[in-house]
Amino acid sequence: INAIFHLGVCSIIYYKNLVDKNLYYLVLGLAITFITITIPVELNGNWVTLLWGAESVLLFWIGRTKKVNFYEYFSYPLIILTFLSLAKDWNNLFMDVNSLNNEVHINPILNIYFLTGLFSSVFFGVITYLNRKTTISTSISNNKNLYKIVSYGIPIIFIITLYATFRNEIAAYWEQLYHNSITSIENPNGYESKIFNYDLIKFESIYLFIYTFLFIGLLSIFNLSIIKSKKLGVVIFIISKIIIFFFLISGLYTLGELRESYLSTNINSEYSVGIFHVLIRYISFGFLAGLLVISFKSMKQLPIIQNLKRYFELFLTITILWVLSSELIHWMDIGNSSESYKLGLSIFWGIYSLILIALGIWKNLKHVRILAFVVFGLTLIKLFFYDISHLDTISKTIVFVSLGILLLIISFLYNKYHKKINS
């Protein structure tokens, strides 16, 4: 009623031209405020997010295209309110998924939470497009702090919303499967206990890594081909390396746990374990390789990232070593080898160091040669402080002879190509 009353007064002021425009905007602002307040009072949950999002798009579009700053200013708090309301909706999603009574069933894709996030992404995407394609008013551009907030804040909200919408849908799907996997088993003492299929949580983690690789890769391609923003390119480049680092630490460990579940003979008969416990490993490696290739292309196309070329080469070299080491352990574990962390890993690190030194001499990459010596040094430390105490005599002989031969080859290469190295 208050909103209707103020809109009526506002219309009279506008058509009769009774007072100064500042009073007109004040009354109009009160009307919009009452409408905004009405939405959460009369509606619940996701409808609040959707209507606030639609209202923010309308106000921003009018303000930017019609050059009425008042409308644009009013859209900013509505954008923030929409985002906060969406965050609350996502919290409600996981509260429903993790409910202990399992009474709530959320259909994949066709559920109110995903659709709300999708529509909100469209709203923020339209605002981002308008912000990029339309001319900003002089009063906003003169206010440097506000200009920076608008220029960077709106695209950031859009990207976060778009990413989180699909990310939360994937997480909710697997967590719902996990909670629905509850089953009862009878202990030897006659009591029943509840168990869950913990492999589903591990699959959730890997799928989230895969999705993140895909999202960052597509965002990088979109930036390189359409947006062509140097700052966004740098941010994507750095974030991609952080995500890869977390995958090397956490993702590879989770893949190892899935392998252990596949190899285990004590797995509960209630849960099926198949070859996909192993194949998911190579799907994730494929997306990891794709992201590294895209990062390499972005480094070539964006001059500002070329200054990071040396660091990228070191990061790429360490990543390959880490993944191949994990792969060696993976297959030695499948082959039931008890020396995967000892004999095999030490010899592989030595061979990898030799390859890096050869590559460093061939391409004249000093930082790669230094990294090779660091890896070889760590191999020797591991050999003397870990391998010796755990290997038998034959294994010790094999690893010492192998590393000795590798050291001789490295010494030969340095003596033969010392002029090229020192040039």
Side-chain angles (χ1 to χ4, degrees):
I1 293 173
N2 270 295
I4 294 172
F5 174 77
H6 281 81
L7 281 174
V9 174
C10 187
S11 300
I12 294 172
I13 293 174
Y14 179 78
Y15 287 111
K16 298 293 185 179
N17 219 3
L18 297 177
V19 294
D20 183 69
K21 279 191 175 182
N22 291 326
L23 181 58
Y24 163 75
Y25 287 133
L26 174 62
V27 178
L28 180 59
L30 289 172
I32 296 173
T33 302
F34 284 124
I35 293 173
T36 305
I37 295 173
T38 302
I39 293 172
V41 171
E42 292 298 321
L43 301 173
N44 292 318
N46 306 87
W47 288 109
V48 175
T49 306
L50 292 173
L51 290 176
W52 276 351
E55 189 179 358
S56 65
V57 173
L58 179 62
L59 291 175
F60 190 88
W61 175 75
I62 294 174
R64 185 60 66 91
T65 57
K66 304 302 181 182
K67 307 302 179 185
V68 183
N69 293 337
F70 171 80
Y71 287 97
E72 184 172 340
Y73 284 135
F74 222 104
S75 69
Y76 297 152
L78 271 174
I79 292 172
I80 297 173
L81 283 173
T82 303
F83 184 73
L84 294 177
S85 180
L86 182 61
K88 185 177 181 297
D89 293 337
W90 286 333
N91 181 65
N92 293 336
L93 165 64
F94 288 102
M95 288 180 63
D96 288 344
V97 168
N98 296 320
S99 60
L100 298 178
N101 54 18
N102 289 330
E103 293 179 356
V104 179
H105 177 73
I106 299 174
N107 294 319
I109 305 298
L110 297 177
N111 62 79
I112 188 63
Y113 299 107
F114 175 74
L115 295 176
T116 301
L118 198 61
F119 277 109
S120 298
S121 299
V122 172
F123 294 150
F124 294 139
V126 171
I127 294 174
T128 303
Y129 176 81
L130 290 172
N131 181 58
R132 181 176 174 82
K133 292 297 182 180
T134 55
T135 305
I136 198 167
S137 65
T138 306
S139 61
I140 297 177
S141 61
N142 289 338
N143 188 336
K144 293 183 179 179
N145 293 329
L146 180 61
Y147 179 73
K148 288 183 179 180
I149 293 174
V150 172
S151 299
Y152 295 107
I154 292 176
I156 289 173
I157 290 177
F158 167 59
I159 293 173
I160 291 175
T161 302
L162 185 62
Y163 170 79
T165 295
F166 290 91
R167 186 262 177 207
N168 291 338
E169 183 68 11
I170 295 171
Y173 170 78
W174 286 102
E175 289 190 23
Q176 185 167 248
L177 287 180
Y178 167 75
H179 287 286
N180 292 338
S181 70
I182 186 171
T183 186
S184 300
I185 61 171
E186 187 174 341
N187 296 327
N189 56 12
Y191 293 100
E192 284 191 352
S193 60
K194 304 291 186 181
I195 64 169
F196 295 87
N197 186 358
Y198 290 100
D199 284 353
L200 295 174
I201 296 298
K202 298 167 189 174
F203 273 111
E204 175 193 344
S205 176
I206 298 303
Y207 271 102
L208 289 178
F209 273 117
I210 291 173
Y211 164 68
T212 304
F213 292 157
L214 177 63
F215 183 87
I216 295 176
L218 292 177
L219 182 61
S220 181
I221 293 173
F222 186 76
N223 179 56
L224 291 174
S225 58
I226 298 177
I227 301 176
K228 298 180 180 179
S229 171
K230 296 179 180 179
K231 293 181 180 179
L232 180 59
V234 173
V235 171
I236 295 173
F237 185 84
I238 295 174
I239 290 178
S240 65
K241 304 305 163 291
I242 295 174
I243 297 299
I244 292 173
F245 177 73
F246 278 107
F247 175 77
L248 295 177
I249 293 177
S250 174
L252 290 179
Y253 180 79
T254 303
L255 290 171
E257 289 184 320
L258 288 173
R259 178 187 70 247
E260 294 299 327
S261 295
Y262 175 75
L263 297 175
S264 176
T265 57
N266 298 321
I267 192 69
N268 190 280
S269 58
E270 295 291 333
Y271 306 124
S272 61
V273 177
I275 192 64
F276 201 71
H277 277 64
V278 176
L279 292 181
I280 187 67
R281 178 183 192 87
Y282 300 102
I283 296 175
S284 61
F285 285 173
F287 281 91
L288 171 63
L291 183 58
L292 288 171
V293 170
I294 293 172
S295 296
F296 179 75
K297 289 185 177 181
S298 64
M299 186 179 63
K300 292 181 66 176
Q301 292 188 28
L302 297 175
I304 191 172
I305 305 181
Q306 290 181 3
N307 299 326
L308 304 174
K309 182 180 179 181
R310 180 175 298 180
Y311 301 101
F312 175 74
E313 290 173 346
L314 290 174
F315 182 84
L316 179 62
T317 304
I318 294 172
T319 300
I320 294 174
L321 172 62
W322 206 320
V323 171
L324 291 179
S325 298
S326 174
E327 191 66 9
L328 177 64
I329 294 171
H330 172 76
W331 283 106
M332 292 187 74
D333 198 15
I334 291 179
N336 200 25
S337 173
S338 60
E339 298 179 352
S340 58
Y341 290 94
K342 306 161 199 170
L343 176 63
L345 207 56
S346 296
I347 294 176
F348 170 70
W349 285 1
I351 295 173
Y352 192 80
S353 300
L354 174 61
I355 294 173
L356 288 183
I357 288 176
L359 181 65
I361 294 174
W362 178 37
K363 296 292 185 178
N364 197 20
L365 301 172
K366 182 179 179 180
H367 54 285
V368 174
R369 297 197 302 269
I370 293 174
L371 178 62
F373 282 114
V374 171
V375 173
F376 208 99
L378 292 175
T379 305
L380 294 177
I381 293 173
K382 175 179 175 293
L383 173 65
F384 284 103
F385 290 96
Y386 178 74
D387 294 350
I388 289 179
S389 60
H390 294 83
L391 293 175
D392 54 34
T393 304
I394 296 177
S395 299
K396 289 177 184 177
T397 304
I398 293 173
V399 72
F400 271 108
V401 170
S402 300
L403 293 179
I405 293 173
L406 292 174
L407 280 172
L408 287 174
I409 296 174
I410 292 171
S411 176
F412 168 76
L413 290 175
Y414 259 79
N415 286 327
K416 184 174 181 179
Y417 298 101
H418 68 279
K419 292 183 180 179
K420 183 177 181 179
I421 293 171
N422 295 326
S423 61

